[in-house]
Amino acid sequence: MSVAAEVRLKRLVVVDQDLCVGCMSCMFACSRRYVDAGLGYTAIYVRSAGGVEKGFSVIVCRACKNPSCAKVCPTDALVLRRGGGVILNPNLCIGCGNCRAACPFGAVQWNIYINKPVICAHCGYCVDFCPFGVLALEEVDS
């Protein structure tokens, strides 16, 4: 068996939105994947669904097989990721925002400091920081 065959492709999923209490631990964890930390660097978005009674919505990349964000990128800065979703080449990105506008789920977050998208890497770093099990990594077909 080759090394490549042993690697299981995964994607981030919301297991149960109703469990989210809006603590934003996932957002803070995501933002710390790299050296800089702060909510402007996160690929996850937690928002109120209309007050405490209605709970919260957790917006994550759905790892689309045919992502609209990549289709509208004029510089091919977003390339398809095996297993779904995209990978950003920040050197090619011109910060036009087309990807953000094209995502039907609102899952392309924006780094206002560098004027470029924050794309989920489906690394699962956020999963361990959610105290309520809202997020998980699931295996996907390549």
Side-chain angles (χ1 to χ4, degrees):
M1 181 180 290
S2 72
V3 173
E6 295 174 6
V7 176
R8 300 284 187 189
L9 298 174
K10 296 183 178 181
R11 73 175 185 155
L12 183 65
V13 294
V14 176
V15 175
D16 187 347
Q17 191 117 244
D18 292 337
L19 297 176
C20 181
V21 298
C23 69
M24 298 183 187
S25 294
C26 57
M27 291 175 65
F28 285 109
C30 179
S31 73
R32 296 189 64 178
R33 292 174 300 157
Y34 307 107
V35 176
D36 295 322
L39 295 180
Y41 301 101
T42 182
I44 302 172
Y45 183 58
V46 176
R47 66 179 165 94
S48 170
V52 175
E53 293 177 1
K54 294 192 177 187
F56 297 89
S57 294
V58 181
I59 312 297
V60 300
C61 174
R62 307 289 174 92
C64 301
K65 295 282 185 190
N66 193 14
S68 55
C69 57
K71 288 181 186 173
V72 298
C73 181
T75 62
D76 295 327
L78 293 172
V79 296
L80 299 182
R81 172 184 169 269
R82 281 186 49 224
V86 293
I87 298 170
L88 172 68
N89 180 340
N91 295 325
L92 294 177
C93 179
I94 59 173
C96 68
N98 288 350
C99 54
R100 187 176 194 194
C103 178
F105 306 106
V108 175
Q109 305 308 316
W110 201 256
N111 183 330
I112 59 171
Y113 306 111
I114 61 171
N115 196 36
K116 293 186 181 188
V118 182
I119 302 296
C120 179
H122 298 275
C123 65
Y125 189 71
C126 56
V127 171
D128 291 336
F129 287 87
C130 177
F132 300 100
V134 175
L135 302 169
L137 279 179
E138 73 175 15
E139 291 186 7
V140 295
D141 297 329
S142 58

